[in-house]
Amino acid sequence: QVQLVESGGGSVQPGGSLRLSCAASERILSINVMGWYRQAPGKQRELVAAVRGGDSPNYADSVKGRFTISRDNAKNTVWLQMNSLKPEDTAVYYCNAEGVRTMDSNIGEVWGQGTLVSVSS
């Protein structure tokens, strides 16, 4: 089964930092787009940041200047560095991969299991 494994979530005070990571399983051959979404309770899931190989990343307006997405295409791994965290950043963060291919199949889209980020004093 194709999997995205997330880590790095936790609780932090306002102004603090966290670094999320997302690693694709060894069964994944290549990925077009990797990104991060988040969803707060009772809210719709929203895009936080995404990057295509060789392109500039795009960010939600609410996180520009605070969050940075980075990617290692060879390892099919993506990170989200989150600085100057605010209470409104509290959500479950989901890794997303689009255009996923294995040696045998064009899988399409895959989601990570989610990791909770909680920002409060």
Side-chain angles (χ1 to χ4, degrees):
Q1 182 180 2
V2 174
Q3 295 182 349
L4 299 177
V5 180
E6 302 179 28
S7 63
S11 297
V12 66
Q13 292 183 321
S17 298
L18 287 172
R19 187 171 187 253
L20 307 182
S21 65
C22 173
S25 71
E26 67 274 13
R27 297 179 182 177
I28 293 177
L29 183 62
S30 63
I31 302 171
N32 184 16
V33 180
M34 298 193 75
W36 293 92
Y37 290 72
R38 67 186 181 187
Q39 187 170 21
K43 303 290 186 178
Q44 295 185 9
R45 188 172 299 185
E46 64 175 352
L47 175 68
V48 177
V51 61
R52 298 178 183 269
D55 292 342
S56 299
N58 62 288
Y59 298 92
D61 289 340
S62 60
V63 307
K64 287 181 179 177
R66 300 188 298 119
F67 291 10
T68 302
I69 188 171
S70 58
R71 177 179 176 181
D72 186 330
N73 293 326
K75 296 182 179 180
N76 290 319
T77 302
V78 65
W79 297 267
L80 185 68
Q81 179 67 46
M82 303 183 293
N83 298 326
S84 301
L85 283 162
K86 304 175 180 179
E88 50 263 44
D89 295 318
T90 297
V92 176
Y93 285 70
Y94 296 91
C95 181
N96 174 263
E98 183 179 335
V100 178
R101 298 183 63 88
T102 68
M103 187 171 297
D104 299 324
S105 304
N106 182 2
I107 301 299
E109 188 175 50
V110 181
W111 289 91
Q113 80 281 4
T115 184
L116 177 63
V117 172
S118 181
V119 185
S120 63
S121 59

